[in-house]
């Protein structure tokens, strides 16, 4: 992916040299042309067309913000409720993610989602297990499903 | 135009202040370290982010665009969950017990009983402390 971006920048500079004009507008046109070329030549690269990764990152950021807002509304509900009727606990969650940065990102996302907070991370014969403190344990299954379907998928999409 | 922006800034700063107040109430009201951390690491983050965002819009409307505020938002966004995680982890491994209405603890099966120094200065197993 980094190679494709570098190639795209290179094509933009070649375009500037061809036009003998060195302003941002020319660079931008050259960059767009390079993008088109890389899109047409995409079957010669080992990784996929890089705009899809860029889109995945944008999607992940939006997801992050949305979940943060949701988490805060649920915290407000818990704090301002007259009765403290929740049942906290720590549960184990096994993730399929492999790289360190992916696991860090996932832990950060989990910490900022409604009702969950990462306590510790263990690695055991190739599997990574996150220990998560949940504010209301009866909701755990739902939370696990949510993490699996949204965050893990989004992170895998970025790193693919 | 400036009136609309003023209203947006007002709403942002009020929301931010509200979340910060709720975080403070949560820290006082909730029963143990772990649940307090939920309130502190989430609400305080979003509260500060909203206030900084409001400040940014206010000054951007007057042609003083200050990108440091955006950087501050990004840094808080990245660092506060890590801070919350580390406080939680340190609390767990020094044997801070969870609230007595807690129903489940998978991590204890994993790390077993830790030898920790309890408040009276003696070494105790963590499961004695938890009961």
């Amino acid at each position: 992916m980094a190679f494709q971006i570098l190639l795209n920048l290179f094509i933009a500079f070649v375009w500037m040299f061809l036009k003998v004009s060195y302003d941002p507008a020319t660079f931008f046109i050259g960059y767009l042309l390079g993008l088109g070329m890389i899109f047409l030549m995409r079957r010669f690269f080992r990784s996929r067309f890089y705009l899809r990764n860029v889109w995945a990152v944008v999607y992940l950021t939006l997801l992050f913000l949305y979940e943060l807002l949701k988490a805060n509304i649920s915290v407000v509900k818990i704090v301002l409720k007259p009765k403290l009727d929740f049942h906290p606990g720590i549960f184990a969650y096994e993730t399929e993610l492999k790289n360190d940065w992916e696991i860090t990102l996932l832990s950060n996302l989990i910490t900022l989602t409604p009702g969950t907070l990462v306590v510790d991370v263990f690695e055991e014969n190739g599997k990574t297990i996150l220990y998560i403190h949940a504010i209301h344990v009866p909701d755990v299954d739902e939370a696990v499903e949510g993490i699996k379907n949204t965050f893990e998928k989004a992170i895998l999409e970025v790193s693919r | 135009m400036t009136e609309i922006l003023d209203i947006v800034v007002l709403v942002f700063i009020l929301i931010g202040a509200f979340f910060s107040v709720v975080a403070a109430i949560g820290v006082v009201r909730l029963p143990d370290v772990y649940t307090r951390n939920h309130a502190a690491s989430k609400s305080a983050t979003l509260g500060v982010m909203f206030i900084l965002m409001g400040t940014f819009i206010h000054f951007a409307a007057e042609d003083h665009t200050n990108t440091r505020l955006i950087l501050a938002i990004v840094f808080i966004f990245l660092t506060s969950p890590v801070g919350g995680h580390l406080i939680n982890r340190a609390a767990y491994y020094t044997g801070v017990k969870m609230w007595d209405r807690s129903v489940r603890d998978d991590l204890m099966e994993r790390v077993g009983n830790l030898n920790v120094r309890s408040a009276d200065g003696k070494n105790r197993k963590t499961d004695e402390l938890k009961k």
Side-chain angles (χ1 to χ4, degrees):
Chain A
M1 180 189 153
F3 172 71
Q4 289 182 37
I5 294 173
L6 201 62
L7 188 66
N8 204 343
L9 284 174
F10 183 71
I11 293 170
F13 279 113
V14 169
W15 180 253
M16 279 160 85
F17 286 141
L18 278 175
K19 297 280 284 184
V20 204
S21 75
Y22 307 102
D23 47 7
T26 320
F27 176 83
F28 186 67
I29 291 168
Y31 197 87
L32 285 183
L33 283 172
L35 208 61
M37 284 180 213
I38 290 173
F39 181 70
L40 290 176
M41 303 283 177
R42 65 189 182 282
R43 74 191 183 92
F44 297 109
F45 297 105
R46 214 170 290 152
S47 55
R48 61 188 180 155
F49 184 53
Y50 79 89
L51 268 197
R52 292 184 61 180
N53 292 60
V54 173
W55 167 244
V57 171
V58 171
Y59 175 76
L60 192 63
T61 314
L62 292 179
L63 191 71
F64 212 103
L65 285 172
Y66 174 65
E67 288 295 333
L68 185 62
L69 211 62
K70 253 179 33 187
N72 277 280
I73 291 164
S74 80
V75 165
V76 168
K77 270 188 203 152
I78 285 170
V79 168
L80 297 183
K81 216 174 176 184
K83 256 196 202 156
L84 293 175
D85 56 357
F86 50 89
H87 299 279
I90 294 177
F91 68 94
Y93 173 73
E94 204 175 273
T95 172
E96 296 159 26
L97 300 176
K98 291 276 183 297
N99 299 333
D100 280 352
W101 69 268
E102 289 172 342
I103 292 162
T104 311
L105 195 58
L106 184 69
S107 323
N108 272 4
L109 286 164
I110 289 171
T111 301
L112 290 175
T113 40
T116 49
L117 229 161
V118 177
V119 180
D120 208 348
V121 182
F122 275 103
E123 214 174 330
E124 186 179 56
N125 46 38
K127 294 261 184 182
T128 306
I129 300 169
L130 299 172
Y131 286 90
I132 301 171
H133 182 271
I135 207 157
H136 192 56
V137 163
D139 295 344
V140 158
D141 293 334
E142 204 180 309
V144 166
E145 270 310 297
I147 293 166
K148 265 222 157 64
N149 288 336
T150 56
F151 295 141
E152 262 196 39
K153 248 166 126 181
I155 292 173
L156 281 173
E157 192 66 24
V158 171
S159 63
R160 199 163 65 181
Chain B
M1 189 59 200
T2 45
E3 275 108 48
I4 298 169
L5 276 178
D6 275 347
I7 292 168
V8 170
V9 170
L10 193 74
V11 168
F12 266 68
I13 291 191
L14 281 180
I15 292 174
F18 172 71
F19 277 129
S20 302
V21 168
V22 169
I25 296 172
V27 169
V28 175
R29 256 201 95 197
L30 292 172
D32 66 355
V33 180
Y34 308 100
T35 45
R36 280 174 185 172
N37 218 336
H38 275 276
S41 69
K42 285 173 194 136
S43 300
T45 315
L46 198 71
V48 174
M49 277 170 62
F50 264 114
I51 290 172
L52 287 178
M53 204 62 206
T55 318
F56 176 77
I57 296 170
H58 175 75
F59 284 108
E62 292 176 358
D63 275 342
H64 296 292
T65 311
N66 194 341
T67 44
R68 277 179 218 162
L69 287 168
I70 300 289
L71 276 185
I73 291 172
V74 172
F75 287 144
I76 288 170
F77 203 46
L78 290 177
T79 50
S80 81
V82 181
H85 160 65
L86 284 178
I87 291 169
N88 247 5
R89 189 173 186 279
Y92 195 90
Y93 284 111
T94 42
V96 177
K97 56 185 171 186
M98 296 208 288
W99 191 31
D100 45 9
R101 257 186 270 173
S102 303
V103 289
R104 199 169 155 184
D105 191 354
D106 289 353
L107 185 53
M108 190 153 121
E109 294 160 21
R110 178 58 189 249
V111 294
N113 285 320
L114 301 162
N115 259 319
V116 293
R117 189 174 285 269
S118 61
D120 54 0
K122 285 177 190 157
N123 281 330
R124 289 254 173 84
K125 296 278 190 191
T126 37
D127 64 338
E128 290 170 34
L129 286 171
K130 281 191 171 126
K131 270 160 197 165

